């Protein structure tokens, strides 16, 4: 899944405190036979000691790419450059560093210096670096990851900080009169700074550019001479050719401003002269697409974006631990790709900071945890958003009064994730009326609930959830059965099914060489505890009775999920315990490995509602499933074609043993199960449904290259 990107990016962060004397790797040394990923161009004019320090810091982070090359371009320095030359030589001799030193006898200016290196560059990306920049560990990994996740990106720039870790540049805006300005200058690095976003331009003091895009627009324009406006001009050209210019604040660099071209009257004269040249070149585009300086910067930025959406959820999504989080994470990404301006606010400040960073990496503004007092103070009765999405019933209950008080005129979408009163209904009918939960369908639930004595808890839960649906413009549910239930009680409600999303991991899974059965579920859940008790106490003895004797010694039931086993399962009768392995919670890499080893997945659920993530996930990994009827409810799965179904201990065991010993059937279910996932639970299907829901709510995504009126 896409959220695995975080592991790739954040693994570089701890290295900032580790030894700097590790053996060279990746782009720090020549890599024969490997295409060059990044071409670093370091432009220098005097300030040689500072430039040498910059080179060493840059070299230190080059291990974050597989291969690289360095061009150190001295633009006619008049100072003694021996320390720089000696450093370059040492890096080459000691580490076989791929560095080339270029010297101009007379200065050519910022554009000419960088183009001298760019003409020689062979990398997929070109990094332009001024000699007054100091990069932080992880900056390059973040920038490269941004390119991989943003196919339209032509140029990515980092967050520049200065003294006191205050922002010096956080992406830039270009006004209609050709005057540029930096966002957030002088501000502390808070949540409003800390997420990736498209901007008009970023300073070329440190940028990473797709080489193909750089060549397409002709590189840096020579008309600007010594410097200033080349980067703004480059960004305008990239925009004109359909590329995006992105500000990525998770990459951070310290900028010692004013070192390369100085400060004072000379700098101002250069800027004034080049602004005239820039305006003359881009006047038509500036007048049509850019705001005048009288417009506040925030309003001007929002003129470039789609509708501003606030998503209120229980906590920051933890997509590798929780199926509901994975669904939320993917829906947030769908909104970003559709160019909505997305803010996420959790009800509680739970979860590791890395999950928050992953959302920011993709472009979500993550607010601090919900505080009603802060909300009232910040809104002052005025809504700052074009639409609201509230997920989970407990979140709705906690925030609805304050949110609708300020945002009563904007549409809001409710995403209950799970209809809790459906789960309560199943439990009630099984306990009071003696029904088998697995046999209950929505029409039967509706029919029998009307004849039972009133269950206060069920009544309160149903009234609350239906009330939330009534107050929403559109409601999102995870399954057709949930939609059917809502339609019975609220036939006029607008309901859209946006199910969980899965993409296949293994292209060609093999039946041979596998053993054991896997059950996944957090045992803090009553439904999962009931399922495990059913599997171990009722089904497992039947499996061992039917399984061929030669397969019994190696047969194991693998239990994965947080929380301890129920007390009655700590010691199983008749030696069954030796066939059970309780792993507890597993990280994504370990779980992926276990999926490649087990033969089947079991989903013996007796209650619950919605799409069962444990089934779809197993099919995604190429592991066929034996399940109860309630477990596959709403999933469009067919017995004997996509899965095998058993609702009693004996039938469940018979189906499991048949699949366990028949590789032809195993292969058939693997292929057909995956086809079902693609047809009903792919990101493409969910995307269509989610965007249609937002359109129905009146939240139209921004058209490509379109701006609202300033």
């Amino acid at each position: 899944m896409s959220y695995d990107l975080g592991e790739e990016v954040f693994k570089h962060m701890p290295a900032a405190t580790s030894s700097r004397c590790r053996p060279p790797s990746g782009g720090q040394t020549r890599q024969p036979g490997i295409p060059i990923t990044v071409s670093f161009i370091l432009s220098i004019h005097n300030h040689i000691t500072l430039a040498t320090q910059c080179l060493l810091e840059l070299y230190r982070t080059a291990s974050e790419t597989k291969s690289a090359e360095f061009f150190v371009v001295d633009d006619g320095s008049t100072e003694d450059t021996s320390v720089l030359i000696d450093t370059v030589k040492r890096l080459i001799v000691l580490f076989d560093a791929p560095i080339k030193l270029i010297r101009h006898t007379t200065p050519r200016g910022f554009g000419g210096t960088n183009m001298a290196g760019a003409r020689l560059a062979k990398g997929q990306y070109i990094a332009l670096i001024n000699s007054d920049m100091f990069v932080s560990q992880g900056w390059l990994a973040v920038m490269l990851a941004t390119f991989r996740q943003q196919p339209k990106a032509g140029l990515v720039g980092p967050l520049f900080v200065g003294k006191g870790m205050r922002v010096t540049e956080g992406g830039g805006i270009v006004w209609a009169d050709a005057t540029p300005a930096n966002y957030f200058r002088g501000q502390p690095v808070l949540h409003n700074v800390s997420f990736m976003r498209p901007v008009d331009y970023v300073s070329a003091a440190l940028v990473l550019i797709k080489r193909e895009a750089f060549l397409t627009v002709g590189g840096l324009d020579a008309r600007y001479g010594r410097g200033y406006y080349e980067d703004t001009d480059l960004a305008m050209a990239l925009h004109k050719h359909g590329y995006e210019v992105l500000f990525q604040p998770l990459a951070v660099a310290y900028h010692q401003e004013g070192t390369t071209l100085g400060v004072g009257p000379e700098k101002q004269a250069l800027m004034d002269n080049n602004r005239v040249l820039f305006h003359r070149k881009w006047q038509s585009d500036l007048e049509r697409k850019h705001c005048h300086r009288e417009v506040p910067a925030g309003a001007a930025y929002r003129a470039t974006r789609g509708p501003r959406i606030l998503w209120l959820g229980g906590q920051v999504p933890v997509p590798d631990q929780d199926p509901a989080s994975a669904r939320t994470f993917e829906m947030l990404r769908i909104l970003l790709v559709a160019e909505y301006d997305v803010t996420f606010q959790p009800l509680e400040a739970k979860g590791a900071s890395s999950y928050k960073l992953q959302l920011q990496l993709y472009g979500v503004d993550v607010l601090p945890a919900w505080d009603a007092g802060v909300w009232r103070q910040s809104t002052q009765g005025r809504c700052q958003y074009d639409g609201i999405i509230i997920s989970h019933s407990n979140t709705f209950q906690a925030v609805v009064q304050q949110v609708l008080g300020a945002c009563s005129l904007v549409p809001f979408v409710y995403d209950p994730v799970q209809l809790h009163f459906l789960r309560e209904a199943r439990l009630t009918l099984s306990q009071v009326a003696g029904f088998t939960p697995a046999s209950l369908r929505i029409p039967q639930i509706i029919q029998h609930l009307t004849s039972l004595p009133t269950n206060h808890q069920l009544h309160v839960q149903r009234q609350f959830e239906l009330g939330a649906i009534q107050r929403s413009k559109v409601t999102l549910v995870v399954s057709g059965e949930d939609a059917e239930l809502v339609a019975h009680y609220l036939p006029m409600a607008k309901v859209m099914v946006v199910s969980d999303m899965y993409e296949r991991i293994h292209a060609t899974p093999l039946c041979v060489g596998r053993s054991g059965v896997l059950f996944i579920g957090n045992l803090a859940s009553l439904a999962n505890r009931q399922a495990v008790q059913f599997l171990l106490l009722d089904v497992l003895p039947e499996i061992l009775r039917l399984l061929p004797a030669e397969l019994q010694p190696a047969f194991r039931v693998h239990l994965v999920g947080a929380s301890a086993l129920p007390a009655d399962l700590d010691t199983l009768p008749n030696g069954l315990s030796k066939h059970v392995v309780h792993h507890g919670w597993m990280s994504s890499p370990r779980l992926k490995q276990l999926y490649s080893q087990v033969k089947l997945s079991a989903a013996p659920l007796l209650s619950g509602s919605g799409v069962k993530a444990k089934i779809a996930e197993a099919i995604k990994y190429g592991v066929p499933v034996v399940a109860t009827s309630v477990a596959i409810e709403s999933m469009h799965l067919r017995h004997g074609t996509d899965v095998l179904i058993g609702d009693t201990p004996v039938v469940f065991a018979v189906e499991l043993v048949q699949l366990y010993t028949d590789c032809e059937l195993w292969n058939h279910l693997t292929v057909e199960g995956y086809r079902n996932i693609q047809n009903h639970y792919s990101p493409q299907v969910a995307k269509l449904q989610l965007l249609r829901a937002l359109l129905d709510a009146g939240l139209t995504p921004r058209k490509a290259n379109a701006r609202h009126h300033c």
Side-chain angles (χ1 to χ4, degrees):
M1 296 286 285
S2 55
Y3 49 79
D4 291 336
L5 177 65
E7 296 179 12
E8 174 189 348
V9 170
F10 304 126
K11 69 183 180 183
H12 296 285
M13 302 304 185
T17 58
S18 61
S19 170
R20 296 186 181 185
C21 299
R22 293 175 297 174
S25 62
Q28 294 175 324
T29 188
R30 297 183 192 278
Q31 303 289 347
I34 298 178
I36 295 170
T37 305
V38 180
S39 299
F40 296 98
I41 302 173
L42 176 61
S43 57
I44 294 170
H45 180 75
N46 292 325
H47 307 284
I48 301 303
T49 300
L50 189 70
T52 304
Q53 294 170 345
C54 174
L55 172 62
L56 290 173
E57 290 297 303
L58 195 65
Y59 177 77
R60 182 168 64 91
T61 62
S63 61
E64 296 169 20
T65 183
K66 292 181 179 179
S67 57
E69 60 182 357
F70 292 79
F71 298 99
V72 180
V73 187
D74 178 11
D75 192 33
S77 293
T78 56
E79 295 180 5
D80 180 7
T81 60
S82 58
V83 65
L84 175 66
I85 295 171
D86 183 59
T87 299
V88 170
K89 287 180 178 178
R90 286 175 180 269
L91 290 173
I92 294 172
V93 171
L94 293 175
F95 305 123
D96 194 24
I99 303 177
K100 182 178 179 62
L101 186 60
I102 303 171
R103 176 169 172 77
H104 297 160
T105 55
T106 57
R108 302 184 187 178
F110 179 85
T113 303
N114 281 287
M115 288 304 294
R119 292 187 187 97
L120 301 175
K122 297 182 177 65
Q124 183 181 358
Y125 303 96
I126 295 174
L128 304 182
I129 308 101
N130 277 6
S131 57
D132 56 359
M133 298 300 308
F134 292 88
V135 294
S136 64
Q137 199 80 18
W139 80 277
L140 184 57
V142 170
M143 302 268 269
L144 290 171
T146 302
F147 272 107
R148 286 192 291 274
Q149 291 300 313
Q150 304 293 331
K152 296 180 183 178
L155 182 150
V156 179
L159 170 65
F160 293 176
V161 296
K163 293 180 180 179
M165 290 300 290
R166 294 274 172 166
V167 177
T168 59
E169 295 191 32
I173 184 171
V174 182
W175 301 109
D177 66 355
T179 303
N182 300 129
Y183 290 115
F184 312 115
R185 188 172 182 84
Q187 296 184 23
V189 182
L190 301 177
H191 72 85
N192 60 318
V193 178
S194 304
F195 62 97
M196 187 273 296
R197 73 203 76 183
V199 290
D200 286 348
Y201 83 102
V202 291
S203 170
L206 176 61
V207 291
L208 192 64
I209 312 166
K210 192 177 292 182
R211 181 167 166 266
E212 175 189 4
F214 191 71
L215 296 176
T216 297
V217 302
L220 299 172
D221 194 328
R223 78 181 68 193
Y224 299 105
R226 284 186 59 197
Y228 292 114
Y229 275 91
E230 297 97 337
D231 44 16
T232 319
D233 180 271
L234 175 62
M236 293 288 286
L238 289 168
H239 285 303
K240 196 173 186 68
H241 282 80
Y243 293 101
E244 287 187 336
V245 175
L246 303 176
F247 163 60
Q248 179 51 275
L250 297 191
V252 181
Y254 181 86
H255 189 196
Q256 191 162 323
E257 289 185 295
T259 302
T260 51
L261 284 174
V263 294
E266 184 179 9
K267 172 182 176 179
Q268 191 60 50
L270 281 171
M271 293 181 68
D272 291 343
N273 180 71
N274 285 353
R275 187 181 73 84
V276 173
L277 298 176
F278 176 81
H279 186 267
R280 189 178 299 157
K281 178 178 179 179
W282 295 105
Q283 182 175 2
S284 175
D285 292 78
L286 291 169
E287 291 177 351
R288 287 187 298 110
K289 297 181 180 180
H290 292 253
C291 297
H292 292 278
R293 274 197 281 176
E294 295 76 19
V295 178
Y301 167 73
R302 284 191 288 276
T304 70
R305 307 293 291 143
R308 193 178 188 194
I309 292 177
L310 172 63
W311 189 304
L312 289 153
Q315 66 179 62
V316 172
V318 286
D320 57 345
Q321 299 182 29
D322 171 19
S325 285
R327 174 175 171 268
T328 298
F329 188 93
E330 290 304 323
M331 286 199 288
L332 289 168
R333 280 185 34 79
I334 288 170
L335 296 182
L336 292 170
V337 172
E339 302 195 51
Y340 288 95
D341 191 4
V342 183
T343 299
F344 183 90
Q345 184 165 32
L347 186 63
E348 300 177 358
K350 290 182 178 180
S353 60
S354 61
Y355 295 106
K356 172 183 172 181
L357 290 173
Q358 287 181 50
L359 289 179
Q360 293 171 325
L361 180 75
Y362 289 112
V364 178
D365 181 7
V366 183
L367 300 180
W370 169 262
D371 184 297
V374 173
W375 170 269
R376 285 192 295 270
Q377 184 178 2
S378 63
T379 58
Q380 295 181 346
R382 297 188 302 272
C383 190
Q384 303 173 18
Y385 303 95
D386 301 306
I388 309 287
I389 299 176
I390 303 177
S391 63
H392 297 281
S393 59
N394 60 332
T395 306
F396 183 91
Q397 191 169 19
V399 308
V400 65
Q401 295 302 327
Q402 290 85 358
V403 170
L404 293 188
C407 299
S408 59
L409 298 181
V410 307
F412 92 83
V413 176
Y414 178 46
D415 176 27
V417 181
Q418 183 183 67
L419 291 176
H420 294 281
F421 81 87
L422 175 56
R423 182 181 62 186
E424 287 292 329
R426 279 208 165 92
L427 289 174
T428 298
L429 289 171
S430 64
Q431 293 168 358
V432 177
F435 287 98
T436 302
S439 67
L440 290 169
R441 295 293 176 271
I442 297 301
Q444 286 78 27
I445 290 173
I446 294 170
Q447 175 188 351
H448 292 296
L449 277 179
T450 58
S451 62
L452 288 176
T454 301
N455 178 310
H456 179 71
Q457 181 178 349
L458 173 58
H459 176 75
V460 170
Q461 186 69 43
R462 180 175 62 192
Q463 292 303 109
F464 172 76
E465 290 189 293
L466 293 177
I469 293 169
Q470 282 183 303
R471 298 177 75 171
S472 68
K473 188 83 170 179
V474 180
T475 297
L476 309 178
V477 295
V478 298
S479 71
E481 279 66 24
D482 288 356
E484 181 183 355
L485 188 63
V486 173
H488 170 78
Y489 290 103
L490 300 172
M492 300 302 293
K494 189 175 287 294
V495 179
M496 298 293 290
V497 177
V498 181
S499 194
D500 297 338
M501 289 156 262
Y502 300 93
E503 290 183 300
R504 192 165 190 167
I505 300 297
H506 296 295
T508 53
L510 299 175
C511 174
V512 296
R514 295 169 174 263
S515 66
V517 173
L518 175 63
F519 173 87
I520 296 180
N522 187 335
L523 296 179
S525 160
L526 175 61
N528 285 330
R529 290 199 303 274
Q530 291 175 334
V532 169
Q533 289 166 341
F534 177 67
L535 178 62
L536 299 187
L537 297 177
D538 301 328
V539 177
L540 181 55
E542 296 297 330
I543 292 174
L544 295 174
R545 183 177 64 82
L546 297 169
L547 197 66
E550 65 274 13
L551 298 179
Q552 291 188 19
F555 183 84
R556 297 290 183 272
V557 176
H558 297 273
L559 305 177
V560 174
S563 301
L565 276 173
D568 60 336
L569 300 180
D570 277 340
T571 303
L572 298 175
N574 303 319
L576 295 177
S577 295
K578 68 181 180 181
H579 294 283
V580 179
V581 181
H582 182 220
H583 298 273
W585 178 83
M586 272 188 162
S587 64
S588 291
R590 288 181 59 210
L591 183 58
K592 182 178 179 180
Q593 182 180 13
L594 185 57
Y595 267 120
S596 70
Q597 298 167 348
V598 298
K599 198 157 194 176
L600 306 179
S601 177
L605 293 175
L606 303 178
S607 63
S609 65
V611 173
K612 311 308 183 295
K614 53 179 64 68
I615 294 177
E617 184 177 71
I619 294 173
K620 174 188 76 172
Y621 279 101
V623 177
V625 177
V626 181
T628 55
S629 296
V630 72
I632 67 160
E633 183 183 65
S634 79
M635 294 194 68
H636 313 280
L637 294 165
R638 300 157 295 175
H639 173 63
T641 300
D642 309 307
V643 295
L644 296 183
I645 300 173
D647 289 328
T648 67
V650 172
V651 175
F652 197 100
V654 168
E655 300 294 351
L656 189 146
V657 171
Q658 180 187 6
L659 183 55
Y660 199 85
T661 56
D662 186 343
C663 275
E664 183 177 351
L665 177 61
W666 192 97
N667 291 328
H668 174 76
L669 294 186
T670 299
V671 172
E672 293 302 319
Y674 173 63
R675 184 175 289 121
N676 171 278
I677 293 295
Q678 285 296 98
N679 289 340
H680 299 285
Y681 307 107
S682 69
Q684 292 75 24
V685 172
K687 175 183 177 181
L688 291 175
Q689 290 291 88
L690 178 58
L691 295 183
R692 188 175 299 146
L694 294 185
L695 285 173
D696 287 346
L699 297 167
T700 306
R702 184 176 75 93
K703 294 181 180 179
N705 300 317
R707 290 187 181 228
H708 300 169
H709 294 295
C710 292

